[in-house]
Amino acid sequence: MERIIDLNSLLTAIIVSITILVLMLILFAVWRFGAARNPVPSNITHNTLLEVLWTVTPAVILLIIAVPSFRLLYYMDRTPEAEMTLKVTSHQWYWSYEYPDQGGLAFDSFIVPDGELKPGQPRLLAVDRPAVLPVGTTIRVVVTSSDVLHGFAVPALGVKIDTVPGRLNEAWIRIDKPGLYYGQCSELCGIGHAFMPIGIKAVPRDEFTAWATRMGSKARVPSRHSPRPG
Ligand SMILES: [Cu+2]
């Protein structure tokens, strides 16, 4: 996400500069070539140098944008040095998390319904069981779906990736600060689309290990909302 923000800042600087330059050119043309100041218009219709310049300059600007943009795209695509994997499966309308490196620990995560919100819990974002992850760890995230297209999107972590039935998509994250990060499904997936938020709880590494041990690291932990047996 830090690098996405950097690219956005670069693009904003370029956009603002171009807008100011074009505005100045227009204002200058209005002032300099208005009928009052320029009663006899020039007959010139071609200027090769100028035409080459206003073709080449935008092309160069596009190249300047393309280089960091592609670099970021490939940087975000996958990481060669993941320390652990989180597998995310989407369902209508909740999420399942699996931890293959923690002995296959797995559980479902559901929205907290309006009537059960505790003080401080954000409506439509709070979940009954967030995915716990360690900070300072490069985590591979693989996503898939059990029914229809959903989108796994956690803005603060710079992740937004479609979950596709029968296909495994990959992203990666590295969380610096402990805390609770929220996300939402980002593909229209049916009537419960707005009611399958994502909660990621980032904790220090030792706390994560303790949590994984406490959770049993073996069988799927059933959620009390889970429609599936066990
Ligand atoms: Cu969805």
Side-chain angles (χ1 to χ4, degrees), residues 190-210:
I191 195 169
H193 171 61
F195 309 104
M196 50 180 297
I198 297 157
I200 290 184
K201 189 181 172 191
V203 298
R205 271 165 175 266
D206 47 345
E207 216 175 292
F208 171 76
T209 315

PDB file of all heavy atoms in Angstrom, residues 190-210:
ATOM      1  N   GLY A 190     -24.298 -11.165  -4.900  1.00  0.00           N
ATOM      2  CA  GLY A 190     -25.630 -11.588  -4.501  1.00  0.00           C
ATOM      3  C   GLY A 190     -26.182 -10.712  -3.401  1.00  0.00           C
ATOM      4  O   GLY A 190     -25.609  -9.693  -3.047  1.00  0.00           O
ATOM      5  N   ILE A 191     -27.282 -11.169  -2.842  1.00  0.00           N
ATOM      6  CA  ILE A 191     -28.047 -10.325  -1.930  1.00  0.00           C
ATOM      7  C   ILE A 191     -27.281  -9.991  -0.651  1.00  0.00           C
ATOM      8  O   ILE A 191     -27.489  -8.951  -0.039  1.00  0.00           O
ATOM      9  CB  ILE A 191     -29.408 -11.008  -1.615  1.00  0.00           C
ATOM     10  CG1 ILE A 191     -30.383 -10.035  -0.977  1.00  0.00           C
ATOM     11  CG2 ILE A 191     -29.223 -12.225  -0.760  1.00  0.00           C
ATOM     12  CD1 ILE A 191     -31.796 -10.595  -0.895  1.00  0.00           C
ATOM     13  N   GLY A 192     -26.345 -10.859  -0.262  1.00  0.00           N
ATOM     14  CA  GLY A 192     -25.597 -10.607   0.972  1.00  0.00           C
ATOM     15  C   GLY A 192     -24.250  -9.943   0.740  1.00  0.00           C
ATOM     16  O   GLY A 192     -23.396  -9.918   1.626  1.00  0.00           O
ATOM     17  N   HIS A 193     -24.051  -9.398  -0.453  1.00  0.00           N
ATOM     18  CA  HIS A 193     -22.757  -8.813  -0.831  1.00  0.00           C
ATOM     19  C   HIS A 193     -22.219  -7.804   0.184  1.00  0.00           C
ATOM     20  O   HIS A 193     -21.024  -7.774   0.487  1.00  0.00           O
ATOM     21  CB  HIS A 193     -22.899  -8.157  -2.202  1.00  0.00           C
ATOM     22  CG  HIS A 193     -21.731  -7.333  -2.620  1.00  0.00           C
ATOM     23  ND1 HIS A 193     -20.463  -7.855  -2.778  1.00  0.00           N
ATOM     24  CD2 HIS A 193     -21.623  -6.008  -2.913  1.00  0.00           C
ATOM     25  CE1 HIS A 193     -19.638  -6.883  -3.158  1.00  0.00           C
ATOM     26  NE2 HIS A 193     -20.310  -5.767  -3.240  1.00  0.00           N
ATOM     27  N   ALA A 194     -23.127  -6.984   0.721  1.00  0.00           N
ATOM     28  CA  ALA A 194     -22.694  -5.934   1.652  1.00  0.00           C
ATOM     29  C   ALA A 194     -22.506  -6.473   3.064  1.00  0.00           C
ATOM     30  O   ALA A 194     -22.111  -5.741   3.958  1.00  0.00           O
ATOM     31  CB  ALA A 194     -23.712  -4.802   1.663  1.00  0.00           C
ATOM     32  N   PHE A 195     -22.789  -7.756   3.254  1.00  0.00           N
ATOM     33  CA  PHE A 195     -22.812  -8.295   4.618  1.00  0.00           C
ATOM     34  C   PHE A 195     -21.777  -9.406   4.820  1.00  0.00           C
ATOM     35  O   PHE A 195     -22.010 -10.350   5.560  1.00  0.00           O
ATOM     36  CB  PHE A 195     -24.237  -8.783   4.952  1.00  0.00           C
ATOM     37  CG  PHE A 195     -25.281  -7.724   4.668  1.00  0.00           C
ATOM     38  CD1 PHE A 195     -26.095  -7.802   3.554  1.00  0.00           C
ATOM     39  CD2 PHE A 195     -25.399  -6.608   5.501  1.00  0.00           C
ATOM     40  CE1 PHE A 195     -27.025  -6.804   3.265  1.00  0.00           C
ATOM     41  CE2 PHE A 195     -26.329  -5.605   5.228  1.00  0.00           C
ATOM     42  CZ  PHE A 195     -27.138  -5.697   4.111  1.00  0.00           C
ATOM     43  N   MET A 196     -20.662  -9.293   4.085  1.00  0.00           N
ATOM     44  CA  MET A 196     -19.576 -10.259   4.289  1.00  0.00           C
ATOM     45  C   MET A 196     -18.245  -9.518   4.444  1.00  0.00           C
ATOM     46  O   MET A 196     -17.350  -9.656   3.623  1.00  0.00           O
ATOM     47  CB  MET A 196     -19.527 -11.288   3.141  1.00  0.00           C
ATOM     48  CG  MET A 196     -19.530 -10.716   1.745  1.00  0.00           C
ATOM     49  SD  MET A 196     -19.479 -11.986   0.449  1.00  0.00           S
ATOM     50  CE  MET A 196     -17.905 -12.805   0.734  1.00  0.00           C
ATOM     51  N   PRO A 197     -18.161  -8.720   5.537  1.00  0.00           N
ATOM     52  CA  PRO A 197     -16.936  -7.941   5.722  1.00  0.00           C
ATOM     53  C   PRO A 197     -15.730  -8.835   6.051  1.00  0.00           C
ATOM     54  O   PRO A 197     -15.890 -10.000   6.396  1.00  0.00           O
ATOM     55  CB  PRO A 197     -17.270  -7.034   6.903  1.00  0.00           C
ATOM     56  CG  PRO A 197     -18.311  -7.758   7.665  1.00  0.00           C
ATOM     57  CD  PRO A 197     -19.105  -8.528   6.646  1.00  0.00           C
ATOM     58  N   ILE A 198     -14.569  -8.232   5.906  1.00  0.00           N
ATOM     59  CA  ILE A 198     -13.314  -8.936   6.184  1.00  0.00           C
ATOM     60  C   ILE A 198     -12.677  -8.266   7.403  1.00  0.00           C
ATOM     61  O   ILE A 198     -12.601  -7.035   7.456  1.00  0.00           O
ATOM     62  CB  ILE A 198     -12.355  -8.807   4.980  1.00  0.00           C
ATOM     63  CG1 ILE A 198     -12.964  -9.475   3.746  1.00  0.00           C
ATOM     64  CG2 ILE A 198     -10.986  -9.378   5.304  1.00  0.00           C
ATOM     65  CD1 ILE A 198     -12.414  -8.946   2.437  1.00  0.00           C
ATOM     66  N   GLY A 199     -12.260  -9.061   8.365  1.00  0.00           N
ATOM     67  CA  GLY A 199     -11.554  -8.517   9.528  1.00  0.00           C
ATOM     68  C   GLY A 199     -10.210  -9.202   9.652  1.00  0.00           C
ATOM     69  O   GLY A 199     -10.139 -10.427   9.637  1.00  0.00           O
ATOM     70  N   ILE A 200      -9.142  -8.410   9.719  1.00  0.00           N
ATOM     71  CA  ILE A 200      -7.812  -8.986   9.898  1.00  0.00           C
ATOM     72  C   ILE A 200      -7.184  -8.382  11.138  1.00  0.00           C
ATOM     73  O   ILE A 200      -7.050  -7.159  11.243  1.00  0.00           O
ATOM     74  CB  ILE A 200      -6.939  -8.749   8.655  1.00  0.00           C
ATOM     75  CG1 ILE A 200      -7.488  -9.621   7.522  1.00  0.00           C
ATOM     76  CG2 ILE A 200      -5.488  -9.092   8.948  1.00  0.00           C
ATOM     77  CD1 ILE A 200      -6.703  -9.580   6.265  1.00  0.00           C
ATOM     78  N   LYS A 201      -6.847  -9.251  12.086  1.00  0.00           N
ATOM     79  CA  LYS A 201      -6.271  -8.781  13.331  1.00  0.00           C
ATOM     80  C   LYS A 201      -4.782  -9.071  13.298  1.00  0.00           C
ATOM     81  O   LYS A 201      -4.363 -10.232  13.283  1.00  0.00           O
ATOM     82  CB  LYS A 201      -6.941  -9.509  14.504  1.00  0.00           C
ATOM     83  CG  LYS A 201      -6.584  -8.945  15.851  1.00  0.00           C
ATOM     84  CD  LYS A 201      -7.277  -9.738  16.949  1.00  0.00           C
ATOM     85  CE  LYS A 201      -6.776  -9.296  18.313  1.00  0.00           C
ATOM     86  NZ  LYS A 201      -7.230 -10.232  19.350  1.00  0.00           N
ATOM     87  N   ALA A 202      -3.977  -8.010  13.260  1.00  0.00           N
ATOM     88  CA  ALA A 202      -2.528  -8.179  13.221  1.00  0.00           C
ATOM     89  C   ALA A 202      -1.980  -8.098  14.640  1.00  0.00           C
ATOM     90  O   ALA A 202      -2.276  -7.155  15.367  1.00  0.00           O
ATOM     91  CB  ALA A 202      -1.911  -7.103  12.339  1.00  0.00           C
ATOM     92  N   VAL A 203      -1.216  -9.106  15.023  1.00  0.00           N
ATOM     93  CA  VAL A 203      -0.659  -9.169  16.381  1.00  0.00           C
ATOM     94  C   VAL A 203       0.838  -9.477  16.295  1.00  0.00           C
ATOM     95  O   VAL A 203       1.313  -9.952  15.269  1.00  0.00           O
ATOM     96  CB  VAL A 203      -1.362 -10.272  17.212  1.00  0.00           C
ATOM     97  CG1 VAL A 203      -2.845  -9.974  17.374  1.00  0.00           C
ATOM     98  CG2 VAL A 203      -1.176 -11.641  16.571  1.00  0.00           C
ATOM     99  N   PRO A 204       1.592  -9.183  17.378  1.00  0.00           N
ATOM    100  CA  PRO A 204       3.017  -9.557  17.378  1.00  0.00           C
ATOM    101  C   PRO A 204       3.182 -11.056  17.144  1.00  0.00           C
ATOM    102  O   PRO A 204       2.292 -11.850  17.452  1.00  0.00           O
ATOM    103  CB  PRO A 204       3.485  -9.163  18.780  1.00  0.00           C
ATOM    104  CG  PRO A 204       2.519  -8.116  19.226  1.00  0.00           C
ATOM    105  CD  PRO A 204       1.204  -8.454  18.585  1.00  0.00           C
ATOM    106  N   ARG A 205       4.354 -11.415  16.622  1.00  0.00           N
ATOM    107  CA  ARG A 205       4.605 -12.803  16.216  1.00  0.00           C
ATOM    108  C   ARG A 205       4.344 -13.826  17.324  1.00  0.00           C
ATOM    109  O   ARG A 205       3.702 -14.848  17.087  1.00  0.00           O
ATOM    110  CB  ARG A 205       6.069 -12.953  15.768  1.00  0.00           C
ATOM    111  CG  ARG A 205       6.285 -12.682  14.299  1.00  0.00           C
ATOM    112  CD  ARG A 205       7.770 -12.489  14.061  1.00  0.00           C
ATOM    113  NE  ARG A 205       8.095 -12.326  12.659  1.00  0.00           N
ATOM    114  CZ  ARG A 205       8.473 -13.323  11.848  1.00  0.00           C
ATOM    115  NH1 ARG A 205       8.559 -14.559  12.293  1.00  0.00           N
ATOM    116  NH2 ARG A 205       8.782 -13.095  10.584  1.00  0.00           N
ATOM    117  N   ASP A 206       4.847 -13.545  18.549  1.00  0.00           N
ATOM    118  CA  ASP A 206       4.688 -14.547  19.614  1.00  0.00           C
ATOM    119  C   ASP A 206       3.216 -14.707  19.992  1.00  0.00           C
ATOM    120  O   ASP A 206       2.751 -15.810  20.287  1.00  0.00           O
ATOM    121  CB  ASP A 206       5.540 -14.183  20.840  1.00  0.00           C
ATOM    122  CG  ASP A 206       5.377 -12.729  21.243  1.00  0.00           C
ATOM    123  OD1 ASP A 206       4.849 -11.948  20.418  1.00  0.00           O
ATOM    124  OD2 ASP A 206       5.748 -12.367  22.371  1.00  0.00           O
ATOM    125  N   GLU A 207       2.490 -13.599  19.915  1.00  0.00           N
ATOM    126  CA  GLU A 207       1.057 -13.657  20.214  1.00  0.00           C
ATOM    127  C   GLU A 207       0.328 -14.510  19.160  1.00  0.00           C
ATOM    128  O   GLU A 207      -0.594 -15.254  19.465  1.00  0.00           O
ATOM    129  CB  GLU A 207       0.497 -12.235  20.208  1.00  0.00           C
ATOM    130  CG  GLU A 207      -0.596 -11.980  21.233  1.00  0.00           C
ATOM    131  CD  GLU A 207      -0.996 -10.520  21.245  1.00  0.00           C
ATOM    132  OE1 GLU A 207      -0.166  -9.675  21.667  1.00  0.00           O
ATOM    133  OE2 GLU A 207      -2.112 -10.228  20.801  1.00  0.00           O
ATOM    134  N   PHE A 208       0.809 -14.377  17.913  1.00  0.00           N
ATOM    135  CA  PHE A 208       0.211 -15.166  16.827  1.00  0.00           C
ATOM    136  C   PHE A 208       0.439 -16.657  17.060  1.00  0.00           C
ATOM    137  O   PHE A 208      -0.475 -17.468  16.939  1.00  0.00           O
ATOM    138  CB  PHE A 208       0.793 -14.738  15.474  1.00  0.00           C
ATOM    139  CG  PHE A 208       0.384 -15.641  14.347  1.00  0.00           C
ATOM    140  CD1 PHE A 208      -0.892 -15.563  13.808  1.00  0.00           C
ATOM    141  CD2 PHE A 208       1.266 -16.598  13.853  1.00  0.00           C
ATOM    142  CE1 PHE A 208      -1.286 -16.414  12.787  1.00  0.00           C
ATOM    143  CE2 PHE A 208       0.880 -17.452  12.831  1.00  0.00           C
ATOM    144  CZ  PHE A 208      -0.401 -17.360  12.300  1.00  0.00           C
ATOM    145  N   THR A 209       1.677 -16.998  17.419  1.00  0.00           N
ATOM    146  CA  THR A 209       2.007 -18.406  17.667  1.00  0.00           C
ATOM    147  C   THR A 209       1.142 -18.951  18.800  1.00  0.00           C
ATOM    148  O   THR A 209       0.598 -20.057  18.700  1.00  0.00           O
ATOM    149  CB  THR A 209       3.506 -18.544  18.030  1.00  0.00           C
ATOM    150  OG1 THR A 209       4.249 -17.748  17.120  1.00  0.00           O
ATOM    151  CG2 THR A 209       3.954 -19.976  17.945  1.00  0.00           C
ATOM    152  N   ALA A 210       0.990 -18.150  19.854  1.00  0.00           N
ATOM    153  CA  ALA A 210       0.174 -18.569  20.993  1.00  0.00           C
ATOM    154  C   ALA A 210      -1.274 -18.766  20.557  1.00  0.00           C
ATOM    155  O   ALA A 210      -1.925 -19.751  20.936  1.00  0.00           O
ATOM    156  CB  ALA A 210       0.256 -17.524  22.103  1.00  0.00           C
TER     157      ALA A 210
END
